[in-house]
Amino acid sequence: MQPLLSISEASKSFGAIRAVRDVSLSVNEGEILGIAGPNGSGKSTFFNIITKTPFGPDSGRVVLGGRDVSRLRSHEIARLGLARTFQRESVFASLSAIDNVLVAVENSAGHGKFAANLETAEWALDLAGFPANMHNTAAGTMPVFLRKLIMIASALALRPKVLLLDEPASSLTPHEVARIQVLILKLKSLGMTILLIEHVLPLLTSVSDGLAVLDYGTLVAYGRPDEVIADPRVIEAYLGKKYEPLAS
Ligand code: ADP
Ligand code: MG
């Protein structure tokens, strides 16, 4: 089977810092690829260069659905089905939940019919599990969990083939992390393909079909999550903490 998304030998430097070095990864349709690694190991930069938001790679190739998208611009890549969230929630604080998602829809779809855009935005908030009675509440007044759901809904509203989630569980309580886990598995059950960057290792290993570990911009381990996570070198050297299964 041809992977739905494959990245070949992607690199990105910032001056002397080689943030991503010759990283090649791929994900099959309907699967979840987890990406782990210490702070500063290049995980977010990897998402940036795949989506060209805000910048592309210095070198490397990105193929989506058999099509080389390396030369396309960020909005064209998004339109072909690649949508991402950011590590820091990037919601408009003064806008309501529904208006935040509407902005994303209007930016991607151009200026279609308002009623259709609104329907898409409501569908996306519902899919993300956002409370139905808070669509009109200003995002800035909400706790971090709900702001994260708005950001995820804004990506879902683009009806992506591949969803890139950058640390969706950071700053959340264990109960909220469990809800993110349920959401990710729901999206997978709907056939969505997901790249998941996460520090919360039990979450990462519980949902991922494959797991990649970055360190200093280099891919140091890549394979089945149980195998990668069982490698003492990975646990000690690259993750810095012991693996404990998620309490159920
Ligand atoms: P991670 O997401 O794994 O924590 P990042 O991809 O954010 O790591 O960062 C990888 C490295 O690249 C770090 O050393 C970081 O300081 C550097 N870096 C990331 N973005 C920029 C940028 N826009 N300008 C300069 N350096 C950057
Ligand atoms: Mg990051």
Side-chain angles (χ1 to χ4, degrees):
M1 180 168 57
Q2 193 185 31
L4 178 58
L5 175 69
S6 68
I7 299 98
S8 315
E9 294 173 12
S11 295
K12 176 75 188 176
S13 294
F14 301 103
I17 299 172
R18 296 178 67 192
V20 174
R21 309 184 193 193
D22 285 331
V23 172
S24 299
L25 286 174
S26 61
V27 61
N28 293 324
E29 183 165 13
E31 292 193 346
I32 299 181
L33 173 64
I35 301 174
N39 267 332
S41 57
K43 305 181 300 296
S44 294
T45 301
F46 186 65
F47 274 11
N48 293 342
I49 62 182
I50 298 174
T51 57
K52 293 202 178 160
T53 319
F55 45 70
D58 299 330
S59 57
R61 213 162 81 97
V62 179
V63 175
L64 174 63
R67 175 171 175 181
D68 190 335
V69 300
S70 310
R71 289 174 186 280
L72 301 186
R73 289 187 291 176
S74 58
H75 69 275
E76 295 169 319
I77 295 172
R79 221 165 273 172
L80 287 174
L82 219 54
R84 72 171 298 182
T85 65
F86 291 88
Q87 190 170 343
R88 296 208 179 133
E89 341 96 61
S90 56
V91 297
F92 300 107
S94 62
L95 294 186
S96 65
I98 192 74
D99 283 345
N100 263 282
V101 184
L102 262 175
V103 168
V105 176
E106 286 170 355
N107 278 342
S108 79
H111 293 275
K113 288 222 166 70
F114 176 76
N117 290 347
L118 183 63
E119 200 175 311
T120 299
E122 284 173 342
W123 165 83
L125 280 171
D126 288 346
L127 180 57
F130 187 85
N133 61 351
M134 290 182 75
H135 283 200
N136 295 312
T137 306
T141 65
M142 294 177 191
V144 59
F145 177 64
L146 294 180
R147 296 202 305 273
K148 279 186 183 261
L149 292 187
I150 292 173
M151 185 167 60
I152 293 171
S154 298
L156 291 174
L158 311 186
R159 301 182 191 271
K161 293 194 184 92
V162 186
L163 179 66
L164 282 64
L165 298 170
D166 194 347
E167 297 199 25
S170 66
S171 323
L172 299 185
T173 66
H175 175 70
E176 291 165 343
V177 172
R179 288 181 61 184
I180 293 288
Q181 180 190 32
V182 169
L183 171 58
I184 290 171
L185 290 173
K186 178 167 111 184
L187 297 176
K188 179 182 158 106
S189 76
L190 295 173
M192 202 170 284
T193 307
I194 298 173
L195 263 60
L196 173 65
I197 292 174
E198 199 35 84
H199 262 314
V200 181
L201 279 187
L203 169 64
L204 196 58
T205 53
S206 68
V207 302
S208 300
D209 299 290
L211 182 60
V213 180
L214 292 177
D215 195 31
Y216 292 107
T218 304
L219 187 63
V220 293
Y222 182 26
R224 274 183 24 204
D226 54 340
E227 289 172 359
V228 169
I229 222 74
D231 182 342
R233 204 177 54 115
V234 167
I235 298 170
E236 301 295 336
Y238 305 115
L239 304 171
K241 47 187 157 184
K242 294 268 185 237
Y243 168 68
E244 289 167 35
L246 197 66
S248 54

